[in-house]
């Protein structure tokens, strides 16, 4: 992350050489994550049973006091995260100059934040709630894949 931020700052004087995230991985993974968020939000608001499969206890995680932040279900925060990734990815492809650099840096920072927050939530599941949600773990994997792609593209660009 620090290397990517340094490259963005270094390339600021040569905007035409600034790295971009041209890979379609981040928006595709963000769409999958958005789908997970929509599903879990519908489960939260309809108070229906989440399909969890043979692994984990999604309903225990959904019923936990940790399933909300500021009274808002975590699934909505996840949807906002993935919408932010989609928006920033589109902006860095469409904008130029310093706004393009800002959107790339925003994409880098937001993707890192998503991974750190996913690690925190997974820790809560494992050590506090004592149950895991396969949907939540899938979202954490998607956030990690997005961060890895974004970081690699930014740090390896010419």
């Amino acid at each position: 992350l620090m290397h990517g931020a340094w490259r963005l700052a270094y390339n600021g004087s040569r905007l035409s050489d600034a790295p971009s995230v041209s890979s379609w991985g981040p928006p595709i993974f963000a769409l999958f994550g958005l789908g997970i968020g929509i599903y879990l939000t519908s489960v939260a608001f309809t108070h229906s049973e989440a399909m969890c499969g043979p692994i984990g206890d999604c309903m225990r995680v959904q019923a936990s006091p940790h399933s909300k932040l500021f009274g808002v279900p975590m699934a909505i925060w996840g949807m906002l995260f993935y919408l932010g990734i989609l928006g920033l990815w589109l902006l860095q492809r469409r904008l130029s100059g310093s706004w393009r650099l800002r959107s790339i840096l925003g994409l880098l920072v937001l993707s890192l934040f998503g991974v750190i927050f996913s690690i925190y939530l997974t820790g809560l599941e494992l050590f506090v709630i004592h149950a895991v949600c396969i949907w939540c773990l899938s979202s954490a994997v998607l956030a990690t894949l997005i961060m890895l792609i974004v970081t690699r593209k930014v740090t390896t660009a010419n």
Side-chain angles (χ1 to χ4, degrees), residues 86-155:
L86 284 169
L88 288 168
W89 184 84
L90 282 171
L91 284 175
Q92 63 91 35
R93 290 179 58 93
R94 300 282 184 235
L95 298 176
S96 62
S98 65
W99 286 107
R100 180 169 170 250
L101 285 175
R102 288 181 182 127
S103 61
I104 294 169
L105 183 59
L107 190 58
L108 191 64
V109 170
L110 184 59
S111 65
L112 179 68
F113 174 79
V115 170
I116 291 170
F117 198 68
S118 292
I119 291 169
Y120 167 73
L121 292 175
T122 303
L124 284 176
E125 287 182 23
L126 293 172
F127 303 113
V128 176
I129 303 169
H130 302 291
V132 293
C133 169
I134 194 68
W135 297 106
C136 304
L137 294 176
S138 298
S139 180
V141 168
L142 290 170
T144 302
L145 290 171
I146 290 169
M147 189 225 30
L148 290 173
I149 292 169
V150 169
T151 304
R152 182 169 185 270
K153 287 291 184 178
V154 170
T155 58

Side-chain angles (χ1 to χ4, degrees), residues 5-22:
W6 174 81
R7 284 188 57 85
L8 287 173
Y10 173 75
N11 284 329
S13 61
R14 298 179 297 152
L15 295 176
S16 61
D17 296 338
S20 69
V21 182
S22 57

Side-chain angles (χ1 to χ4, degrees), residues 44-108:
F45 283 120
T46 61
H47 304 289
S48 57
E49 187 81 18
M51 294 185 304
C52 199
I55 299 172
D57 188 354
C58 296
M59 291 313 297
R60 188 168 174 188
V61 174
Q62 286 276 40
S64 159
H66 302 286
S67 67
K68 292 184 178 180
L69 179 64
F70 305 120
V72 177
M74 284 296 176
I76 292 178
W77 293 110
M79 288 181 355
L80 291 173
F81 166 75
Y82 289 116
L83 286 171
I85 292 292
L86 284 169
L88 288 168
W89 184 84
L90 282 171
L91 284 175
Q92 63 91 35
R93 290 179 58 93
R94 300 282 184 235
L95 298 176
S96 62
S98 65
W99 286 107
R100 180 169 170 250
L101 285 175
R102 288 181 182 127
S103 61
I104 294 169
L105 183 59
L107 190 58
L108 191 64

Side-chain angles (χ1 to χ4, degrees), residues 18-40:
S20 69
V21 182
S22 57
S23 167
W24 284 89
I28 290 170
F29 292 142
L31 287 173
F32 280 115
L34 190 59
I36 291 171
I38 291 169
Y39 172 69
L40 291 178

